[in-house]
Amino acid sequence: KAGVTQTPRYLIKTRGQQVTLSCSPISGHRSVSWYQQTPGQGLQFLFEYFSETQRNKGNFPGRFSGRQFSNSRSEMNVSTLELGDSALYLCASSGGQGGTDTQYFGPGTRLTVL
Amino acid sequence: QQQVKQSPQSLIVQKGGISIINCAYENTAFDYFPWYQQFPGKGPALLIAIRPDVSEKKEGRFTISFNKSAKQFSLHIMDSQPGDSATYFCAASRGNAGGTSYGKLTFGQGTILTVHP
């Protein structure tokens, strides 16, 4: 099976812009979680989607949003970018049911905000 | 109450030595404790995981020890190799009544492991 794929791998944006990141989960996986990774804060949970519904949400401002499509692919959007949004954004997929707990991570999207 | 504290921040061991990384959690509702390994430029990859109904789990050179009463768990890497040099993260999550994770992992801050040849 192909792994979790994320596009684009690298992005450079300026403050105030918005950005959309994409994640394609492992085939058959219905749960997609998003994390932000920074040197200072480490890995922080953003939100999780399962069957097109947000099932869990972390402590991030409303500028961070996401959605999931019927094919389980997910996107996250960050509006009005700030310098502090520079980070590696990781997507992880899992079965989401039937006792499958392992989350498989993609390689991430490196976002730089100038 | 969602914190997971990990130590040490960095660790240097010689080839063939034992690497030990410790984590402590606060939320007693956590019931799934995975360890992830991350190499530069890559996403984290699951190494080994444990549930609180067992005190130890071993897979090859990697062992998780779990102390439920102390709310602590640790990763032991036996016969450490230069190829083990990476960042290691402990994590914890809370499942629903059916035992399935809701997909929210709370991570420790990470340990940068360097194994000298």
Side-chain angles (χ1 to χ4, degrees):
Chain A
K1 278 186 179 178
V4 177
T5 57
Q6 293 187 243
T7 56
R9 292 293 310 279
Y10 302 91
L11 265 178
I12 299 176
K13 293 285 186 179
T14 57
R15 279 182 300 173
Q17 287 187 310
Q18 75 166 18
V19 67
T20 299
L21 312 181
S22 181
C23 172
S24 292
I26 292 171
S27 178
H29 283 185
R30 296 171 62 188
S31 169
V32 174
S33 299
W34 288 89
Y35 295 84
Q36 181 195 64
Q37 185 174 23
T38 60
Q41 298 298 316
L43 279 153
Q44 293 188 290
F45 173 80
L46 280 156
F47 29 66
E48 185 224 3
Y49 286 86
F50 177 79
S51 293
E52 303 179 65
T53 301
Q54 188 180 85
R55 190 163 64 172
N56 223 329
K57 189 177 188 303
N59 297 322
F60 278 81
R63 300 185 296 108
F64 292 82
S65 62
R67 59 178 176 169
Q68 186 180 34
F69 302 94
S70 59
N71 61 358
S72 294
R73 191 177 69 86
S74 177
E75 289 181 347
M76 68 163 283
N77 183 276
V78 187
S79 62
T80 319
L81 284 166
E82 300 177 359
L83 295 178
D85 296 333
S86 294
L88 180 67
Y89 290 88
L90 292 158
C91 158
S93 77
S94 68
Q97 62 179 13
T100 300
D101 296 309
T102 301
Q103 290 192 37
Y104 297 89
F105 283 82
T109 294
R110 173 73 62 184
L111 172 64
T112 301
V113 182
L114 303 176
Chain B
Q1 205 179 13
Q2 295 292 320
Q3 259 190 326
V4 175
K5 295 181 180 179
Q6 183 172 346
S7 63
Q9 284 188 311
S10 62
L11 180 62
I12 300 174
V13 300
Q14 294 296 316
K15 178 182 175 182
I18 301 173
S19 304
I20 302 174
I21 305 171
N22 301 298
C23 285
Y25 64 97
E26 299 173 1
N27 189 344
T28 55
F30 285 146
D31 62 359
Y32 175 65
F33 303 89
W35 284 88
Y36 281 83
Q37 178 189 57
Q38 186 177 29
F39 293 103
K42 304 286 188 181
L46 179 69
L47 199 58
I48 186 172
I50 197 169
R51 291 193 177 274
D53 52 346
V54 297
S55 60
E56 185 174 283
K57 183 175 181 180
K58 183 177 181 180
E59 290 184 1
R61 296 185 295 110
F62 303 92
T63 300
I64 299 179
S65 297
F66 186 83
N67 186 330
K68 188 174 181 179
S69 61
K71 292 187 286 185
Q72 296 175 346
F73 58 110
S74 61
L75 175 70
H76 290 64
I77 305 174
M78 311 299 289
D79 188 26
S80 298
Q81 300 296 313
D84 296 331
S85 297
T87 301
Y88 291 81
F89 294 94
C90 63
S93 71
R94 176 182 176 180
N96 61 3
T100 300
S101 168
Y102 269 150
K104 177 183 178 181
L105 288 168
T106 299
F107 283 90
Q109 285 297 98
T111 296
I112 301 172
L113 172 64
T114 303
V115 181
H116 286 315

Short mmCIF file of all heavy atoms in Angstrom, two decimals, chain A residues 24-82:
data_model
loop_
_atom_site.label_atom_id
_atom_site.label_comp_id
_atom_site.label_asym_id
_atom_site.label_seq_id
_atom_site.Cartn_x
_atom_site.Cartn_y
_atom_site.Cartn_z
N SER A 24 -3.38 12.92 1.46
CA SER A 24 -4.06 11.72 0.98
C SER A 24 -3.70 10.56 1.89
O SER A 24 -2.53 10.20 1.99
CB SER A 24 -3.65 11.41 -0.46
OG SER A 24 -4.13 12.40 -1.33
N PRO A 25 -4.69 9.99 2.58
CA PRO A 25 -4.39 8.93 3.54
C PRO A 25 -4.10 7.61 2.85
O PRO A 25 -4.28 7.47 1.64
CB PRO A 25 -5.68 8.84 4.36
CG PRO A 25 -6.75 9.24 3.40
CD PRO A 25 -6.12 10.30 2.54
N ILE A 26 -3.66 6.66 3.63
CA ILE A 26 -3.47 5.30 3.14
C ILE A 26 -4.82 4.76 2.69
O ILE A 26 -5.84 5.00 3.35
CB ILE A 26 -2.84 4.42 4.23
CG1 ILE A 26 -1.41 4.87 4.50
CG2 ILE A 26 -2.89 2.95 3.85
CD1 ILE A 26 -0.76 4.20 5.70
N SER A 27 -4.82 4.04 1.59
CA SER A 27 -6.06 3.51 1.06
C SER A 27 -6.80 2.69 2.11
O SER A 27 -6.22 1.81 2.76
CB SER A 27 -5.74 2.62 -0.16
OG SER A 27 -6.91 2.04 -0.67
N GLY A 28 -8.07 3.01 2.29
CA GLY A 28 -8.89 2.29 3.26
C GLY A 28 -8.95 2.99 4.62
O GLY A 28 -9.82 2.66 5.44
N HIS A 29 -8.05 3.90 4.87
CA HIS A 29 -8.09 4.63 6.14
C HIS A 29 -9.14 5.73 6.07
O HIS A 29 -9.24 6.45 5.09
CB HIS A 29 -6.73 5.24 6.45
CG HIS A 29 -5.74 4.25 6.96
ND1 HIS A 29 -4.48 4.61 7.40
CD2 HIS A 29 -5.81 2.90 7.11
CE1 HIS A 29 -3.84 3.53 7.82
NE2 HIS A 29 -4.62 2.48 7.64
N ARG A 30 -9.89 5.88 7.16
CA ARG A 30 -10.96 6.86 7.18
C ARG A 30 -10.69 8.02 8.13
O ARG A 30 -11.43 8.99 8.15
CB ARG A 30 -12.27 6.17 7.56
CG ARG A 30 -12.71 5.13 6.54
CD ARG A 30 -13.88 4.33 7.04
NE ARG A 30 -15.06 5.16 7.30
CZ ARG A 30 -16.17 4.71 7.88
NH1 ARG A 30 -16.24 3.47 8.28
NH2 ARG A 30 -17.19 5.51 8.08
N SER A 31 -9.66 7.88 8.95
CA SER A 31 -9.35 8.94 9.90
C SER A 31 -8.09 9.68 9.47
O SER A 31 -7.09 9.06 9.10
CB SER A 31 -9.14 8.35 11.30
OG SER A 31 -8.59 9.31 12.17
N VAL A 32 -8.17 10.99 9.49
CA VAL A 32 -7.00 11.83 9.19
C VAL A 32 -6.82 12.84 10.31
O VAL A 32 -7.76 13.56 10.67
CB VAL A 32 -7.18 12.57 7.84
CG1 VAL A 32 -6.03 13.55 7.64
CG2 VAL A 32 -7.23 11.58 6.69
N SER A 33 -5.62 12.87 10.85
CA SER A 33 -5.28 13.83 11.90
C SER A 33 -4.19 14.75 11.39
O SER A 33 -3.34 14.35 10.60
CB SER A 33 -4.79 13.12 13.16
OG SER A 33 -5.78 12.28 13.70
N TRP A 34 -4.21 15.97 11.86
CA TRP A 34 -3.20 16.96 11.49
C TRP A 34 -2.44 17.42 12.74
O TRP A 34 -3.04 17.61 13.81
CB TRP A 34 -3.86 18.18 10.84
CG TRP A 34 -4.39 17.93 9.47
CD1 TRP A 34 -5.64 17.49 9.13
CD2 TRP A 34 -3.69 18.14 8.23
NE1 TRP A 34 -5.77 17.41 7.76
CE2 TRP A 34 -4.59 17.80 7.19
CE3 TRP A 34 -2.41 18.58 7.90
CZ2 TRP A 34 -4.23 17.88 5.84
CZ3 TRP A 34 -2.07 18.67 6.57
CH2 TRP A 34 -2.96 18.33 5.55
N TYR A 35 -1.13 17.59 12.57
CA TYR A 35 -0.27 18.05 13.65
C TYR A 35 0.64 19.16 13.13
O TYR A 35 1.03 19.18 11.97
CB TYR A 35 0.60 16.91 14.17
CG TYR A 35 -0.17 15.79 14.81
CD1 TYR A 35 -0.74 14.77 14.05
CD2 TYR A 35 -0.34 15.73 16.20
CE1 TYR A 35 -1.46 13.75 14.64
CE2 TYR A 35 -1.05 14.70 16.79
CZ TYR A 35 -1.60 13.72 16.01
OH TYR A 35 -2.31 12.71 16.59
N GLN A 36 0.99 20.04 14.06
CA GLN A 36 1.98 21.07 13.78
C GLN A 36 3.25 20.74 14.55
O GLN A 36 3.19 20.44 15.74
CB GLN A 36 1.46 22.45 14.22
CG GLN A 36 2.42 23.60 13.94
CD GLN A 36 2.05 24.86 14.70
OE1 GLN A 36 2.09 24.89 15.93
NE2 GLN A 36 1.70 25.92 13.97
N GLN A 37 4.38 20.77 13.88
CA GLN A 37 5.65 20.49 14.56
C GLN A 37 6.57 21.69 14.45
O GLN A 37 6.90 22.14 13.34
CB GLN A 37 6.34 19.25 13.97
CG GLN A 37 7.60 18.85 14.73
CD GLN A 37 8.20 17.55 14.24
OE1 GLN A 37 7.99 17.12 13.10
NE2 GLN A 37 8.96 16.89 15.11
N THR A 38 6.98 22.20 15.60
CA THR A 38 7.93 23.32 15.67
C THR A 38 9.01 22.97 16.68
O THR A 38 8.78 22.17 17.60
CB THR A 38 7.25 24.62 16.11
OG1 THR A 38 6.67 24.42 17.41
CG2 THR A 38 6.18 25.06 15.13
N PRO A 39 10.20 23.56 16.55
CA PRO A 39 11.28 23.28 17.52
C PRO A 39 10.89 23.66 18.95
O PRO A 39 11.25 22.98 19.89
CB PRO A 39 12.44 24.14 17.01
CG PRO A 39 12.16 24.33 15.56
CD PRO A 39 10.67 24.41 15.45
N GLY A 40 10.12 24.71 19.10
CA GLY A 40 9.79 25.19 20.43
C GLY A 40 8.63 24.46 21.09
O GLY A 40 8.68 24.14 22.27
N GLN A 41 7.60 24.17 20.32
CA GLN A 41 6.39 23.56 20.87
C GLN A 41 6.28 22.06 20.60
O GLN A 41 5.39 21.39 21.14
CB GLN A 41 5.14 24.26 20.30
CG GLN A 41 5.06 25.74 20.65
CD GLN A 41 4.98 25.96 22.13
OE1 GLN A 41 4.24 25.29 22.85
NE2 GLN A 41 5.76 26.91 22.63
N GLY A 42 7.16 21.53 19.79
CA GLY A 42 7.11 20.11 19.49
C GLY A 42 5.94 19.77 18.58
O GLY A 42 5.54 20.57 17.74
N LEU A 43 5.40 18.58 18.78
CA LEU A 43 4.28 18.10 17.96
C LEU A 43 2.97 18.40 18.67
O LEU A 43 2.72 17.91 19.77
CB LEU A 43 4.40 16.59 17.75
CG LEU A 43 5.34 16.11 16.67
CD1 LEU A 43 5.87 14.72 16.98
CD2 LEU A 43 4.61 16.10 15.33
N GLN A 44 2.13 19.19 18.02
CA GLN A 44 0.86 19.56 18.63
C GLN A 44 -0.29 19.18 17.71
O GLN A 44 -0.26 19.45 16.51
CB GLN A 44 0.83 21.06 18.92
CG GLN A 44 1.81 21.49 20.00
CD GLN A 44 1.61 22.94 20.38
OE1 GLN A 44 1.90 23.83 19.61
NE2 GLN A 44 1.07 23.17 21.57
N PHE A 45 -1.31 18.61 18.31
CA PHE A 45 -2.48 18.14 17.59
C PHE A 45 -3.33 19.33 17.15
O PHE A 45 -3.65 20.21 17.95
CB PHE A 45 -3.28 17.22 18.51
CG PHE A 45 -4.61 16.78 17.97
CD1 PHE A 45 -4.69 15.76 17.04
CD2 PHE A 45 -5.78 17.39 18.41
CE1 PHE A 45 -5.93 15.34 16.55
CE2 PHE A 45 -7.01 16.97 17.94
CZ PHE A 45 -7.08 15.95 17.00
N LEU A 46 -3.70 19.32 15.89
CA LEU A 46 -4.57 20.38 15.34
C LEU A 46 -6.03 19.92 15.33
O LEU A 46 -6.89 20.55 15.95
CB LEU A 46 -4.13 20.73 13.93
CG LEU A 46 -2.92 21.67 13.81
CD1 LEU A 46 -2.23 21.49 12.48
CD2 LEU A 46 -3.36 23.11 14.01
N PHE A 47 -6.32 18.88 14.58
CA PHE A 47 -7.68 18.33 14.51
C PHE A 47 -7.66 16.98 13.85
O PHE A 47 -6.67 16.58 13.23
CB PHE A 47 -8.67 19.26 13.78
CG PHE A 47 -8.07 20.14 12.71
CD1 PHE A 47 -7.52 19.59 11.56
CD2 PHE A 47 -8.07 21.51 12.86
CE1 PHE A 47 -6.97 20.40 10.59
CE2 PHE A 47 -7.53 22.33 11.90
CZ PHE A 47 -6.97 21.78 10.76
N GLU A 48 -8.77 16.27 14.01
CA GLU A 48 -8.93 14.96 13.41
C GLU A 48 -10.26 14.89 12.68
O GLU A 48 -11.28 15.39 13.19
CB GLU A 48 -8.88 13.84 14.45
CG GLU A 48 -8.94 12.45 13.83
CD GLU A 48 -9.88 11.50 14.55
OE1 GLU A 48 -10.55 11.90 15.51
OE2 GLU A 48 -9.95 10.32 14.13
N TYR A 49 -10.26 14.27 11.53
CA TYR A 49 -11.48 14.07 10.76
C TYR A 49 -11.71 12.59 10.55
O TYR A 49 -10.76 11.81 10.32
CB TYR A 49 -11.39 14.78 9.41
CG TYR A 49 -11.54 16.27 9.54
CD1 TYR A 49 -10.44 17.07 9.81
CD2 TYR A 49 -12.79 16.87 9.45
CE1 TYR A 49 -10.59 18.44 9.97
CE2 TYR A 49 -12.94 18.24 9.60
CZ TYR A 49 -11.84 19.01 9.87
OH TYR A 49 -11.98 20.37 10.03
N PHE A 50 -12.97 12.22 10.64
CA PHE A 50 -13.37 10.83 10.41
C PHE A 50 -14.70 10.87 9.67
O PHE A 50 -15.65 11.51 10.13
CB PHE A 50 -13.51 10.08 11.73
CG PHE A 50 -13.98 8.67 11.60
CD1 PHE A 50 -13.10 7.68 11.22
CD2 PHE A 50 -15.30 8.34 11.85
CE1 PHE A 50 -13.52 6.36 11.10
CE2 PHE A 50 -15.74 7.03 11.72
CZ PHE A 50 -14.85 6.04 11.35
N SER A 51 -14.75 10.22 8.55
CA SER A 51 -15.96 10.20 7.72
C SER A 51 -16.51 11.59 7.51
O SER A 51 -17.70 11.86 7.73
CB SER A 51 -17.04 9.31 8.38
OG SER A 51 -16.63 7.96 8.37
N GLU A 52 -15.63 12.49 7.11
CA GLU A 52 -15.97 13.87 6.73
C GLU A 52 -16.41 14.74 7.89
O GLU A 52 -16.85 15.89 7.67
CB GLU A 52 -17.06 13.88 5.64
CG GLU A 52 -16.67 13.11 4.39
CD GLU A 52 -17.77 13.11 3.34
OE1 GLU A 52 -18.09 14.20 2.83
OE2 GLU A 52 -18.31 12.01 3.06
N THR A 53 -16.28 14.26 9.12
CA THR A 53 -16.70 15.02 10.30
C THR A 53 -15.50 15.28 11.20
O THR A 53 -14.69 14.38 11.43
CB THR A 53 -17.78 14.26 11.09
OG1 THR A 53 -18.89 14.03 10.24
CG2 THR A 53 -18.21 15.05 12.32
N GLN A 54 -15.42 16.50 11.71
CA GLN A 54 -14.35 16.78 12.67
C GLN A 54 -14.70 16.10 13.99
O GLN A 54 -15.71 16.44 14.63
CB GLN A 54 -14.19 18.29 12.87
CG GLN A 54 -12.96 18.64 13.71
CD GLN A 54 -12.81 20.14 13.91
OE1 GLN A 54 -13.40 20.73 14.82
NE2 GLN A 54 -12.04 20.77 13.05
N ARG A 55 -13.84 15.21 14.43
CA ARG A 55 -14.15 14.42 15.62
C ARG A 55 -13.39 14.93 16.84
O ARG A 55 -13.75 14.62 17.97
CB ARG A 55 -13.81 12.95 15.34
CG ARG A 55 -14.31 11.99 16.39
CD ARG A 55 -14.34 10.56 15.90
NE ARG A 55 -13.05 10.00 15.57
CZ ARG A 55 -12.86 8.72 15.27
NH1 ARG A 55 -13.89 7.89 15.28
NH2 ARG A 55 -11.65 8.26 14.96
N ASN A 56 -12.35 15.69 16.61
CA ASN A 56 -11.52 16.15 17.71
C ASN A 56 -10.79 17.41 17.27
O ASN A 56 -10.46 17.56 16.08
CB ASN A 56 -10.48 15.07 18.06
CG ASN A 56 -10.32 14.88 19.55
OD1 ASN A 56 -10.47 15.81 20.33
ND2 ASN A 56 -9.99 13.67 19.95
N LYS A 57 -10.53 18.30 18.21
CA LYS A 57 -9.89 19.55 17.86
C LYS A 57 -8.91 19.95 18.94
O LYS A 57 -9.19 19.80 20.13
CB LYS A 57 -10.95 20.65 17.70
CG LYS A 57 -10.43 21.95 17.13
CD LYS A 57 -11.58 22.94 16.96
CE LYS A 57 -11.14 24.19 16.21
NZ LYS A 57 -10.03 24.88 16.86
N GLY A 58 -7.76 20.44 18.55
CA GLY A 58 -6.75 20.92 19.48
C GLY A 58 -6.94 22.39 19.80
O GLY A 58 -7.93 23.01 19.40
N ASN A 59 -6.00 22.95 20.53
CA ASN A 59 -6.09 24.33 20.98
C ASN A 59 -5.40 25.29 20.03
O ASN A 59 -4.37 25.88 20.36
CB ASN A 59 -5.50 24.46 22.38
CG ASN A 59 -6.26 23.64 23.41
OD1 ASN A 59 -7.49 23.55 23.35
ND2 ASN A 59 -5.54 23.02 24.33
N PHE A 60 -5.94 25.43 18.89
CA PHE A 60 -5.42 26.37 17.90
C PHE A 60 -6.50 27.38 17.55
O PHE A 60 -7.69 27.08 17.64
CB PHE A 60 -4.97 25.62 16.64
CG PHE A 60 -3.61 25.01 16.75
CD1 PHE A 60 -3.44 23.79 17.40
CD2 PHE A 60 -2.49 25.65 16.24
CE1 PHE A 60 -2.18 23.23 17.53
CE2 PHE A 60 -1.24 25.10 16.36
CZ PHE A 60 -1.08 23.88 17.00
N PRO A 61 -6.08 28.59 17.14
CA PRO A 61 -7.09 29.62 16.81
C PRO A 61 -7.90 29.22 15.58
O PRO A 61 -7.54 28.34 14.82
CB PRO A 61 -6.22 30.86 16.53
CG PRO A 61 -4.86 30.35 16.26
CD PRO A 61 -4.71 29.10 17.04
N GLY A 62 -9.01 29.93 15.41
CA GLY A 62 -9.92 29.63 14.33
C GLY A 62 -9.34 29.84 12.94
O GLY A 62 -9.95 29.42 11.94
N ARG A 63 -8.17 30.46 12.86
CA ARG A 63 -7.51 30.64 11.55
C ARG A 63 -7.13 29.28 10.94
O ARG A 63 -6.91 29.17 9.74
CB ARG A 63 -6.24 31.48 11.69
CG ARG A 63 -6.46 32.88 12.23
CD ARG A 63 -5.16 33.67 12.21
NE ARG A 63 -4.13 33.13 13.08
CZ ARG A 63 -3.04 32.50 12.64
NH1 ARG A 63 -2.84 32.34 11.35
NH2 ARG A 63 -2.14 32.05 13.51
N PHE A 64 -7.04 28.30 11.79
CA PHE A 64 -6.71 26.95 11.34
C PHE A 64 -8.01 26.16 11.15
O PHE A 64 -8.80 26.04 12.10
CB PHE A 64 -5.83 26.24 12.38
CG PHE A 64 -4.45 26.82 12.51
CD1 PHE A 64 -4.24 27.95 13.28
CD2 PHE A 64 -3.37 26.25 11.85
CE1 PHE A 64 -2.97 28.51 13.41
CE2 PHE A 64 -2.10 26.79 11.98
CZ PHE A 64 -1.90 27.92 12.75
N SER A 65 -8.20 25.67 9.98
CA SER A 65 -9.42 24.91 9.72
C SER A 65 -9.09 23.73 8.80
O SER A 65 -8.00 23.68 8.21
CB SER A 65 -10.48 25.79 9.06
OG SER A 65 -10.03 26.28 7.81
N GLY A 66 -10.02 22.83 8.71
CA GLY A 66 -9.78 21.67 7.86
C GLY A 66 -11.07 21.12 7.33
O GLY A 66 -12.17 21.59 7.68
N ARG A 67 -10.93 20.15 6.48
CA ARG A 67 -12.10 19.43 6.00
C ARG A 67 -11.65 18.09 5.44
O ARG A 67 -10.47 17.88 5.16
CB ARG A 67 -12.85 20.21 4.93
CG ARG A 67 -12.04 20.57 3.68
CD ARG A 67 -12.91 21.29 2.68
NE ARG A 67 -12.15 21.73 1.50
CZ ARG A 67 -12.73 22.20 0.40
NH1 ARG A 67 -14.05 22.29 0.31
NH2 ARG A 67 -12.00 22.60 -0.62
N GLN A 68 -12.62 17.22 5.28
CA GLN A 68 -12.33 15.90 4.73
C GLN A 68 -13.36 15.59 3.67
O GLN A 68 -14.55 15.88 3.83
CB GLN A 68 -12.34 14.83 5.82
CG GLN A 68 -11.89 13.46 5.32
CD GLN A 68 -11.92 12.40 6.42
OE1 GLN A 68 -12.77 12.42 7.30
NE2 GLN A 68 -10.97 11.47 6.36
N PHE A 69 -12.90 14.99 2.61
CA PHE A 69 -13.77 14.67 1.50
C PHE A 69 -14.26 13.23 1.58
O PHE A 69 -13.76 12.45 2.39
CB PHE A 69 -13.03 14.92 0.18
CG PHE A 69 -12.53 16.34 0.04
CD1 PHE A 69 -11.23 16.68 0.41
CD2 PHE A 69 -13.36 17.35 -0.43
CE1 PHE A 69 -10.76 17.97 0.31
CE2 PHE A 69 -12.91 18.64 -0.54
CZ PHE A 69 -11.61 18.96 -0.17
N SER A 70 -15.20 12.89 0.72
CA SER A 70 -15.80 11.56 0.78
C SER A 70 -14.79 10.45 0.49
O SER A 70 -14.99 9.30 0.89
CB SER A 70 -16.97 11.47 -0.20
OG SER A 70 -16.55 11.74 -1.51
N ASN A 71 -13.69 10.78 -0.19
CA ASN A 71 -12.67 9.75 -0.45
C ASN A 71 -11.60 9.74 0.65
O ASN A 71 -10.55 9.13 0.47
CB ASN A 71 -12.01 10.01 -1.81
CG ASN A 71 -11.30 11.35 -1.87
OD1 ASN A 71 -11.32 12.12 -0.91
ND2 ASN A 71 -10.69 11.64 -3.01
N SER A 72 -11.88 10.41 1.75
CA SER A 72 -11.03 10.49 2.95
C SER A 72 -9.85 11.45 2.80
O SER A 72 -9.18 11.72 3.80
CB SER A 72 -10.50 9.12 3.40
OG SER A 72 -11.56 8.32 3.85
N ARG A 73 -9.61 11.96 1.63
CA ARG A 73 -8.58 12.98 1.48
C ARG A 73 -8.93 14.19 2.33
O ARG A 73 -10.12 14.49 2.53
CB ARG A 73 -8.43 13.39 0.02
CG ARG A 73 -7.21 14.26 -0.26
CD ARG A 73 -7.09 14.57 -1.76
NE ARG A 73 -8.15 15.45 -2.22
CZ ARG A 73 -8.12 16.78 -2.16
NH1 ARG A 73 -7.08 17.39 -1.62
NH2 ARG A 73 -9.12 17.50 -2.64
N SER A 74 -7.92 14.86 2.85
CA SER A 74 -8.19 15.97 3.75
C SER A 74 -7.35 17.19 3.35
O SER A 74 -6.28 17.06 2.74
CB SER A 74 -7.85 15.57 5.19
OG SER A 74 -8.03 16.65 6.09
N GLU A 75 -7.88 18.32 3.67
CA GLU A 75 -7.16 19.58 3.48
C GLU A 75 -7.19 20.36 4.77
O GLU A 75 -8.16 20.27 5.54
CB GLU A 75 -7.80 20.43 2.37
CG GLU A 75 -7.61 19.89 0.98
CD GLU A 75 -8.25 20.79 -0.07
OE1 GLU A 75 -9.05 21.68 0.29
OE2 GLU A 75 -7.96 20.59 -1.26
N MET A 76 -6.13 21.12 5.02
CA MET A 76 -6.18 22.08 6.10
C MET A 76 -5.84 23.45 5.53
O MET A 76 -5.08 23.56 4.57
CB MET A 76 -5.26 21.72 7.26
CG MET A 76 -3.78 21.80 7.00
SD MET A 76 -2.84 21.85 8.55
CE MET A 76 -3.07 23.55 9.05
N ASN A 77 -6.46 24.44 6.11
CA ASN A 77 -6.31 25.81 5.65
C ASN A 77 -5.87 26.68 6.81
O ASN A 77 -6.36 26.53 7.94
CB ASN A 77 -7.64 26.30 5.08
CG ASN A 77 -7.53 27.69 4.50
OD1 ASN A 77 -7.62 28.68 5.23
ND2 ASN A 77 -7.32 27.79 3.21
N VAL A 78 -4.93 27.56 6.53
CA VAL A 78 -4.54 28.55 7.52
C VAL A 78 -4.74 29.92 6.87
O VAL A 78 -4.17 30.20 5.81
CB VAL A 78 -3.08 28.41 7.97
CG1 VAL A 78 -2.80 29.35 9.13
CG2 VAL A 78 -2.77 26.98 8.36
N SER A 79 -5.57 30.73 7.49
CA SER A 79 -5.83 32.06 6.94
C SER A 79 -5.02 33.10 7.71
O SER A 79 -4.54 32.85 8.82
CB SER A 79 -7.32 32.39 7.04
OG SER A 79 -7.73 32.41 8.40
N THR A 80 -4.84 34.25 7.10
CA THR A 80 -4.12 35.37 7.72
C THR A 80 -2.84 34.88 8.41
O THR A 80 -2.68 34.96 9.63
CB THR A 80 -5.02 36.10 8.74
OG1 THR A 80 -6.34 36.23 8.24
CG2 THR A 80 -4.46 37.50 9.01
N LEU A 81 -1.94 34.36 7.61
CA LEU A 81 -0.73 33.76 8.14
C LEU A 81 0.08 34.72 9.01
O LEU A 81 0.18 35.92 8.73
CB LEU A 81 0.14 33.27 6.99
CG LEU A 81 -0.31 31.97 6.32
CD1 LEU A 81 0.41 31.77 4.99
CD2 LEU A 81 -0.10 30.78 7.25
N GLU A 82 0.65 34.16 10.07
CA GLU A 82 1.54 34.89 10.96
C GLU A 82 2.91 34.22 10.92
O GLU A 82 3.03 33.05 10.55
CB GLU A 82 0.99 34.86 12.39
CG GLU A 82 -0.39 35.49 12.52
CD GLU A 82 -0.93 35.38 13.93
OE1 GLU A 82 -0.24 34.80 14.80
OE2 GLU A 82 -2.06 35.87 14.17
#
